[in-house]
Amino acid sequence: RPGPKLNHLVYPSKKKSAPGLGIHVTFGLDGSIKLGPDIDYGNCEINYSPKPEKSEAFRKAVERYLGPLPPHALHYDQCGLRPKLRSPKEKEEKDFFISMTRPGWVDLVGIESPGLTAAMAIAEKVKSLL
């Protein structure tokens, strides 16, 4: 794979009251370097295309990890939606919750990193509810 050699994940320290964790480094199954996610509070309009006006800020964030990059080194890969429990105006974090809202149905709401690292414990909780 061309470009910088990394052999471990890179996660920034979360800044208090920041809307997300920040851009971090993970790897694709093919060994490619994946950088992201970026965060942008949206509205009900769903648009999965990249926002050209954000590309320079994204490049600067990526270069904190990888050093200077030529313009062709980054390419847009994917976009998704991540529902948040906290609105942009709220300063405090909100923890995820697990609840059984009706028999046989368990809601898992607002689980983000690092909550996903607790996937086995969450699975045990869901099993106990069912």
Side-chain angles (χ1 to χ4, degrees):
R1 92 187 161 199
K5 300 291 184 202
L6 293 174
N7 57 11
H8 56 83
L9 303 176
V10 178
Y11 285 89
S13 297
K14 176 140 175 24
K15 293 178 180 145
K16 189 172 176 76
S17 77
L21 180 62
I23 293 172
H24 50 277
V25 177
T26 58
F27 299 100
L29 293 176
D30 64 355
S32 61
I33 297 172
K34 299 205 176 257
L35 300 135
D38 187 6
I39 187 167
D40 194 19
Y41 280 100
N43 53 25
C44 293
E45 178 185 323
I46 298 175
N47 181 350
Y48 293 107
S49 60
K51 294 182 175 180
E53 67 273 13
K54 297 186 86 180
S55 62
E56 188 57 30
F58 185 79
R59 173 180 300 288
K60 285 180 182 178
V62 166
E63 287 181 343
R64 286 182 35 219
Y65 303 122
L66 305 180
L69 296 170
H72 68 279
L74 296 176
H75 72 274
Y76 180 78
D77 185 44
Q78 62 187 7
C79 179
L81 298 175
R82 179 181 289 169
K84 304 283 285 175
L85 294 178
R86 176 174 64 134
S87 80
K89 295 176 184 158
E90 293 176 293
K91 300 266 188 234
E92 296 297 318
E93 294 291 339
K94 291 186 178 180
D95 205 359
F96 66 88
F97 63 92
I98 300 170
S99 65
M100 181 178 264
T101 53
R102 61 180 185 256
W105 185 271
V106 178
D107 289 313
L108 306 168
V109 180
I111 301 172
E112 300 183 45
S113 278
L116 294 175
T117 60
M120 296 306 292
I122 291 170
E124 289 173 6
K125 174 68 175 175
V126 170
K127 182 180 177 185
S128 76
L129 291 171
L130 294 172

